[in-house]
Amino acid sequence: MTLIGRSAHRWTARAIAVFARAGGCLRRRALAALASGVIGFAGAGLAAPAQADPLLGDQAYDAATPTLRSVLGYDPGDRITWSQDAVQYLRALAAAAPDRMKVVEYARTWQGRPLVYAVIGSARNMARLEAIKATSRALADPRTTSPDRARALIADQPVIVWLAYSVHGNEPGPGDAALALAHHLIAARDDEETARILDNVVAVIVPTQNPDGRDRFIAGHLSALGLKPDPDRLSAERDEPWPSGRYNHYLFDLNRDWFAQTQPETRGHAAAIQTFRPQVVTDQHEMGSDQTFFFPPEADPINPNLTVAQSVNKDVIGRTIGAAFDRAAIAYFTREIFDAFYPGYGDAWPAYQGALAMTFEQGSARGLIARRTNGSEFTFRDTVLSQFIASRATLAAAAANREKFLSDFYAMHASAIEEGRREAVRSFIIPAQFDQTAADDLARLMARHGVEVGRVNAAFSACGERYEAGSYVIRTDQPLKRLIRVLLDRNTPLDEAFMARQEKRRERGLDDEIYDVTGWSLPVMYNVAVTPCRDSVGVPATRLDPGEQPAGGVDRPDARAAFVVAGGTSAAARFMAGALAASVTLRAADEPFVIEGRRYPAGSLISLVGENPQGLAQRLNGVAAASGARVVGLDTTWVTEGPSFGSPRAARLIAPRIAIAWDEPTDPTAAGHMRFVIERQLGYPATVIRTASLAGQDLSRYDVIILPDGDYAGMLGEGDNLKAWVRKGGVLVGVSGALRFLADPKVNLLASRREEAAAQDADADKGGDAAAPGAPDDAEKSTTPGSRISSLDDYRARIAQQGGQPDSIAGALAFAETDQDHWLTAGLPARAPVLVVGSDIWRPLSRDEGVNAVRFAGAPDLIASGHFWPDNRAQLAYKPFVMVQTVDAGMVVAFTAEPTARGYMHGLTPLLANALFRAPAKTDRVR
């Protein structure tokens, strides 16, 4: 058998007739190919009909099978299908062919829309679907499935192909292609190719991964649609209003959420994949209108935790798609732009579950018709057709390579186990630690990924260290070893040749080719100690259930005087927010204290019985259970060391009224992530207000206003309304790009200033005898002194950019150090993780200006995970991450990088909580 199979294939003409009848804007050659039925898969021995005959083509479909027109009133590609209509159509198909198709709801979005997948296969395969899923899971665990047993199972096991569409709501074509594909697989009963697919493949189709974003996009598109679809690049129907349909309700890019799994769409999708353990996964997207179509092989860099077999088999599928596109005269590209390094994509996380996972990217019409910059036009129907062809080619390749794909799937898991037994890291230990709730959260996340996590209930020794009960052990000799390593290793190395190429590009003033963040180590992001260990730790342990809830509660609920929660932990941050939301009166200690013989850290929370109504213990118990905090009851408030509970150093907190700037010009993801962390991770209500309202509306009702990343100067001018509000006692929290507005001399709410790129090493100009051309001294002169360039290094130094911004960082994790004497960081660890993105670096505040509450570590200790350019690393060292500046009765808290990035910077949640809930108690605002 060839790599892509020997059997003949003929296109069923219902699909041909539907797309051709609609008269899209494919090139004439492609339309001719469709009409004559010659599009096929290279190497498959495809037989084309002698002449075009749409009638004969229509006869290839079962007339009893519902069409899109019979259910929704239009043909594929005529309109963009609403998410609920897509579900309706799939259910109609399943009702017409219950022996070959079923529709399953796997989750609900934040807005309550159903997320579904459709399973399609032959009648025989559908009748034994549960057995097929069980077999796939058995092949994924060679510890319990011997090679002989695996061969026997593979002999009668179809390949499971998971086809996921439109994770970004404003990429609609793939979602409609999913409906066309489902109809084809059900209706083309006399087609040999389709029959072969259904016999050898179980197809799982997810029509849209982001219904909330898709319907937002459609609503915006329809609201601007005119007499006829307009291809103009500036037409309102193609120019989305803020925040665009790309994101879900909380404005998350769901294609970056797969290992963090903060959103219900991703959690449900990942759980569904784990029940099937598919061998092939496609994640089908759209991109800019001037692009063609991308499919693997991917661009460099490739994550070293992926296997050679995965690359080889994806190449097989890619060549199959390429041949189909060649026959259809559809342009495409491979090996460019889209890499396989970051493990949080929809085509990445499934790869670490053993699948051949791939991204497809189609140039988008962003509506019903688009005009490229070269003047050519194409339609929504064209994008649907291209995704349909790519999907069919994927299924055909999987059917033709059924045995190989299944065998390699088994072998990938077997090799993972073997690697885990012999590599230097054979276990990861999550020790019992100060912030145990963060450690518990990390362990549960790993268990949710399908990793076997053991909780050890007695003290033990391993790798020369002693660990207490409550620690967790993750051995690497298990099938998901590669997922374990990619998420828990502190650093994943980038290919040296690739990085050398990037340095050469920087020398020439070109952008780097790094597509997404290069640092994502979960222990760093959770700020949790995790120990790589050379031992295969074999102590008795209980396997962790990912559904376990944090064990919070009240000790001594009958206490007569007060209740205390130790500060500085993730649980304490959640408890503080939850208690204030529940109208519990709290105090927060700025310094450590000792009471009843127990020492509590700075930042600890105190609830006095006398300051609260009856039933305090019951209310606290509910908050503790939700947050995971342990609340200790006290019969006395007599403190023997540190501030007393009535001291100004244990200030009474208020329940702040928090507002978040929303809409233009805020960055959608920055605003959405901030709102999500406050509302869903901390459990506290926040008001989102249109940014324009900040310029002139009465803000006195708010205690805290947050400016997420964004360019505010054009809308807020000199910020007079905000300045007046801050001066009267408001707390203004600025994040990332918002600091450019706050530090503008015309606004001057922040005394710090953004730095230009620092000068190179002092000897960078060695060998020359004059300043480089373009230096400030030459700027006003018509001539410049003559010079000699003595070397290539000298030449490069002279043409280097003078001043300007530091080079941009794609995204890497840095360590920052907290000022342990400041209330903002009270009780927090001495070190905090920061995701650094972009080029902004800020000078520290002087003592008379304010406090640098958190600053980046020195250059030798700065990098936590990922890649920093050497210049950035040197210049970022010791610069501020969080600054606090008093402005009359109020204050500004400035974060130079996003503390809520992608909802996965869990180690910064206590710091953010202090800024939101403790800062208002530190102002002189009259309430």
Side-chain angles (χ1 to χ4, degrees):
M1 176 178 281
T2 66
L3 285 178
I4 54 176
R6 294 175 178 161
S7 15
H9 163 74
R10 74 179 171 83
W11 275 75
T12 55
R14 175 62 179 161
I16 298 167
V18 165
F19 288 115
R21 179 171 65 246
C25 299
L26 289 172
R27 285 182 286 174
R28 291 181 180 178
R29 179 181 165 196
L31 283 174
L34 281 169
S36 61
V38 300
I39 298 177
F41 308 114
L46 307 178
Q51 56 186 341
D53 192 337
L55 293 177
L56 288 177
D58 282 336
Q59 292 173 1
Y61 282 94
D62 182 351
T65 302
T67 64
L68 200 67
R69 175 169 289 280
S70 69
V71 176
L72 300 180
Y74 54 89
D75 292 321
D78 283 353
R79 302 180 192 172
I80 304 171
T81 304
W82 293 92
S83 64
Q84 70 269 25
D85 291 343
V87 175
Q88 178 187 350
Y89 180 62
L90 290 177
R91 293 196 188 281
L93 285 176
D99 61 330
R100 286 170 289 126
M101 179 176 175
K102 66 183 295 188
V103 177
V104 177
E105 181 179 320
Y106 64 85
R108 291 257 167 171
T109 70
W110 288 115
Q111 295 178 10
R113 291 180 175 86
L115 290 149
V116 305
Y117 60 76
V119 189
I120 301 176
S122 67
R124 175 175 180 267
N125 285 337
M126 292 300 292
R128 60 188 185 115
L129 181 61
E130 292 306 313
I132 289 171
K133 291 160 63 177
T135 294
S136 191
R137 294 193 297 269
L139 293 174
D141 192 352
R143 296 170 303 179
T144 58
T145 306
S146 69
D148 288 343
R149 178 61 179 157
R151 282 190 288 272
L153 292 173
I154 289 169
D156 193 35
Q157 172 76 358
V159 175
I160 300 176
V161 178
W162 193 279
L163 302 130
Y165 299 86
S166 295
V167 69
H168 298 134
N170 61 355
E171 299 173 5
D176 277 78
L179 307 182
L181 179 68
H183 174 265
H184 176 80
L185 293 176
I186 293 301
R189 298 181 66 178
D190 298 328
D191 181 70
E192 294 178 6
E193 165 63 32
T194 302
R196 188 164 49 256
I197 288 173
L198 297 181
D199 284 342
N200 291 278
V201 172
V202 167
V204 185
I205 296 173
V206 181
T208 173
Q209 303 173 65
N210 181 10
D212 292 353
R214 181 181 182 88
D215 287 357
R216 185 190 310 127
F217 169 77
I218 295 173
H221 163 72
L222 291 178
S223 68
L225 200 61
L227 181 63
K228 63 178 183 178
D230 189 343
D232 192 284
R233 298 174 68 84
L234 298 181
S235 62
E237 69 195 63
R238 302 184 63 252
D239 184 10
E240 299 176 75
W242 192 97
S244 89
R246 179 179 178 89
Y247 312 109
N248 76 339
H249 173 75
Y250 275 105
L251 308 188
F252 272 66
D253 184 333
L254 294 175
N255 195 38
R256 271 59 176 179
D257 189 50
W258 279 83
F259 72 73
Q261 293 192 10
T262 66
Q263 303 300 296
E265 296 92 339
T266 317
R267 286 193 180 192
H269 198 169
I273 284 178
Q274 287 173 316
T275 64
F276 279 82
R277 296 305 299 272
Q279 286 71 53
V280 178
V281 173
T282 66
D283 189 27
Q284 300 186 217
H285 294 251
E286 292 182 339
M287 53 183 164
S289 299
D290 280 333
Q291 300 286 358
T292 58
F293 198 110
F294 168 87
F295 49 82
E298 300 94 346
D300 288 334
I302 307 298
N303 195 295
N305 289 287
L306 299 174
T307 69
V308 173
Q310 286 172 308
S311 295
V312 169
N313 288 335
K314 284 191 285 186
D315 188 74
V316 169
I317 297 173
R319 289 175 182 271
T320 307
I321 300 169
F325 276 26
D326 286 343
R327 290 174 181 260
I330 298 175
Y332 64 89
F333 66 96
T334 65
R335 297 172 289 102
E336 298 176 44
I337 303 177
F338 304 103
D339 63 31
F341 192 69
Y342 175 66
Y345 301 131
D347 74 338
W349 182 86
Y352 298 101
Q353 300 279 338
L356 309 174
M358 300 166 289
T359 282
F360 297 165
E361 290 273 359
Q362 159 78 56
S364 179
R366 287 290 188 269
L368 295 179
I369 187 169
R371 182 180 297 122
R372 300 184 179 93
T373 52
N374 63 15
S376 63
E377 294 181 356
F378 67 104
T379 67
F380 176 63
R381 182 173 296 103
D382 297 333
T383 67
V384 173
L385 177 58
S386 296
Q387 295 281 0
F388 175 79
I389 292 173
S391 300
R392 284 201 59 195
T394 301
L395 293 171
N401 293 275
R402 181 194 65 80
E403 185 175 353
K404 183 177 191 305
F405 286 1
L406 287 165
S407 297
D408 286 350
F409 178 77
Y410 176 79
M412 279 188 283
H413 292 93
S415 65
I417 296 167
E418 181 57 32
E419 290 169 6
R421 289 171 178 161
R422 57 181 171 79
E423 289 181 347
V425 177
R426 299 177 186 175
S427 300
F428 286 92
I429 301 172
I430 306 176
Q433 51 200 272
F434 170 69
D435 193 350
Q436 187 59 33
T437 52
D440 294 342
D441 290 344
L442 174 57
R444 277 193 296 271
L445 176 61
M446 293 301 294
R448 191 183 306 128
H449 288 309
V451 171
E452 295 171 9
V453 180
R455 182 172 51 219
V456 184
N457 297 317
F460 66 99
S461 297
C463 285
E465 298 291 337
R466 183 74 173 169
Y467 297 95
E468 299 301 320
S471 299
Y472 297 94
V473 172
I474 302 174
R475 291 172 54 131
T476 59
D477 58 346
Q478 57 176 293
L480 294 184
K481 169 260 174 183
R482 296 184 181 95
L483 178 64
I484 295 168
R485 293 300 302 269
V486 81
L487 296 183
L488 296 186
D489 279 350
R490 179 166 160 182
N491 211 47
T492 299
L494 285 153
D495 179 72
E496 292 183 2
F498 172 80
M499 292 310 299
R501 188 165 72 244
Q502 304 318 302
E503 290 291 358
K504 289 182 179 179
R505 290 180 64 87
R506 291 179 65 229
E507 290 175 3
R508 291 153 50 204
L510 301 176
D511 291 337
D512 66 71
E513 298 170 311
I514 299 174
Y515 191 74
D516 208 279
V517 301
T518 60
W520 56 77
S521 171
L522 285 179
V524 174
M525 293 194 298
Y526 276 77
N527 211 13
V528 165
V530 175
T531 306
C533 181
R534 295 183 61 88
D535 298 340
S536 294
V537 179
V539 297
T542 303
R543 183 166 179 176
L544 180 64
D545 180 350
E548 287 187 20
Q549 296 300 310
V554 177
D555 300 333
R556 297 178 58 196
D558 58 347
R560 297 189 301 272
F563 295 89
V564 179
V565 173
T569 67
S570 303
R574 295 195 289 257
F575 178 87
M576 178 165 55
L580 291 173
S583 300
V584 173
T585 299
L586 286 181
R587 293 177 175 269
D590 291 346
E591 300 172 15
F593 61 87
V594 176
I595 191 168
E596 290 191 349
R598 178 176 174 179
R599 185 176 186 83
Y600 289 87
S604 293
L605 304 170
I606 305 148
S607 187
L608 298 176
V609 171
E611 292 184 339
N612 285 277
Q614 291 185 347
L616 175 61
Q618 183 176 1
R619 279 194 292 161
L620 291 179
N621 192 60
V623 175
S627 64
R630 299 304 309 179
V631 183
V632 178
L634 303 172
D635 287 332
T636 180
T637 61
W638 186 262
V639 174
T640 58
E641 182 181 334
S644 297
F645 291 172
S647 165
R649 292 178 292 161
R652 180 169 167 171
L653 305 183
I654 67 165
R657 295 159 296 182
I658 298 174
I660 305 172
W662 199 253
D663 210 334
E664 296 284 0
T666 66
D667 176 84
T669 59
H673 298 168
M674 179 65 72
R675 183 183 188 183
F676 170 77
V677 169
I678 294 172
E679 291 187 349
R680 298 294 176 173
Q681 291 185 347
L682 289 173
Y684 196 85
T687 300
V688 293
I689 59 178
R690 306 294 179 191
T691 306
S693 297
L694 297 175
Q697 296 295 319
D698 178 13
L699 305 177
S700 61
R701 66 176 63 90
Y702 306 113
D703 301 293
V704 178
I705 294 177
I706 302 170
L707 294 183
D709 184 22
D711 182 5
Y712 294 92
M715 182 169 288
L716 299 184
E718 297 182 11
D720 291 338
N721 200 42
L722 272 177
K723 284 191 282 189
W725 172 81
V726 174
R727 287 167 179 159
K728 292 177 181 178
V731 175
L732 183 60
V733 177
V735 180
S736 190
L739 273 57
R740 297 189 179 195
F741 167 72
L742 299 180
D744 187 308
K746 296 179 181 178
V747 178
N748 207 31
L749 280 169
L750 181 65
S752 178
R753 295 295 183 263
R754 188 163 51 97
E755 296 186 349
E756 293 184 348
Q760 301 296 314
D761 293 340
D763 63 349
D765 289 328
K766 63 183 178 181
D769 54 12
D777 289 345
D778 297 331
E780 302 301 323
K781 299 178 181 179
S782 60
T783 62
T784 188
S787 65
R788 296 173 181 172
I789 299 176
S790 60
S791 68
L792 183 58
D793 287 343
D794 186 16
Y795 165 75
R796 288 170 177 163
R798 287 168 181 272
I799 67 171
Q801 178 178 335
Q802 304 298 311
Q805 284 294 102
D807 285 341
S808 182
I809 297 174
L813 293 169
F815 284 127
E817 297 174 352
T818 60
D819 180 348
Q820 294 286 286
D821 295 324
H822 197 269
W823 59 262
L824 184 66
T825 61
L828 300 183
R831 191 172 71 176
V834 182
L835 180 66
V836 177
V837 180
S839 60
D840 284 6
I841 298 175
W842 294 82
R843 76 158 175 83
L845 293 175
S846 61
R847 290 178 180 172
D848 59 309
E849 293 171 334
V851 176
N852 306 294
V854 187
R855 60 167 175 78
F856 287 102
D861 304 313
L862 179 72
I863 300 177
S865 179
H867 181 81
F868 283 83
W869 308 117
D871 299 343
N872 296 75
R873 179 179 182 180
Q875 188 170 349
L876 188 62
Y878 300 112
K879 299 298 168 56
F881 166 51
V882 184
M883 296 173 277
V884 181
Q885 180 173 328
T886 299
V887 181
D888 292 341
M891 73 173 66
V892 172
V893 180
F895 289 82
T896 65
E898 291 186 46
T900 57
R902 296 182 179 175
Y904 60 24
M905 296 302 298
H906 298 278
L908 293 177
T909 302
L911 179 63
L912 176 66
N914 281 354
L916 299 179
F917 304 116
R918 297 195 66 194
K922 298 296 181 178
T923 69
D924 294 329
R925 184 174 185 180
V926 177
R927 295 178 175 86

